[in-house]
Amino acid sequence: MTDVPDPGTGAERDRAGVADLHSFAVELRRLNGEINRLVHGFAGEHGLHATDVLALAAILDAPEPLTPGRLREHLGLTSGAVTACLDRLERAGHIRRVRESPDRRVVHLHYVPDARSAARAHFRPLADVTASVRSGFSEDELSVVLRFLAAMNEQLSAVRSPGR
């Protein structure tokens, strides 16, 4: 990492017009750290691993029911690791595995409604902060932020560690 003078925080950077790569990296790491803190708290309260919470988020956010294979690809885990994760989530009452297709070998993963309520309650502060911060931006600004985040996620999803 190169030494870059500290451009200040938040509004100071905005006023100075500093939007360099270092500033983005710092803010993205801070955001990731804060979200990880919430994820680890939820995992600890429910006897889960942080990866289990990532699996729950993937199941929740999927446009259609995920299969264990698609979850494995999404998380970049081995089949055995995904099976262990799903076993923990099922035992804890967060998901259920359902064979609902004509091909009874296909398993779909569903988030249990009561467990979804528990997750919503835990992550409510994140939703509240998001709503509060959003209120300070115009619709045009939010559109740009959302476009930036979507592009970051899209491109990062293609980046894999060596050997994966």
Side-chain angles (χ1 to χ4, degrees):
M1 217 177 240
T2 61
D3 288 329
V4 177
D6 180 8
T9 59
E12 293 170 357
R13 276 195 301 277
D14 290 346
R15 284 192 295 277
V18 176
D20 62 7
L21 185 58
H22 175 76
S23 298
F24 275 95
V26 168
E27 294 304 328
L28 288 170
R29 279 192 299 271
R30 287 183 63 206
L31 177 62
N32 185 57
E34 292 302 324
I35 290 173
N36 278 340
R37 183 177 53 77
L38 291 169
V39 165
H40 285 275
F42 181 81
E45 288 174 13
H46 294 268
L48 302 173
H49 298 217
T51 302
D52 301 342
V53 181
L54 295 177
L56 284 173
I59 293 166
L60 178 66
D61 294 342
E64 57 191 34
L66 282 180
T67 63
R70 285 202 325 245
L71 181 62
R72 181 189 59 75
E73 290 169 8
H74 176 78
L75 296 176
L77 299 174
T78 65
S79 295
V82 168
T83 298
C85 170
L86 295 176
D87 288 346
R88 282 189 301 274
L89 291 173
E90 198 167 40
R91 273 194 311 273
H94 287 277
I95 66 156
R96 58 188 170 84
R97 298 174 191 166
V98 179
R99 296 181 193 282
E100 58 193 3
S101 72
D103 182 347
R104 301 292 292 159
R105 294 172 297 176
V106 176
V107 174
H108 288 129
L109 307 171
H110 294 276
Y111 209 133
V112 173
D114 288 345
R116 188 181 293 208
S117 296
R120 279 196 181 118
H122 181 87
F123 289 101
R124 181 94 224 125
L126 177 59
D128 292 344
V129 166
T130 301
S132 174
V133 171
R134 282 183 76 235
S135 71
F137 291 84
S138 71
E139 287 299 316
D140 288 342
E141 290 171 320
L142 290 171
S143 177
V144 171
V145 170
L146 193 56
R147 197 175 84 223
F148 171 80
L149 292 172
M152 286 289 296
N153 285 322
E154 183 66 29
Q155 290 192 29
L156 281 172
S157 71
V159 176
R160 296 285 182 228
S161 298
R164 287 237 159 145

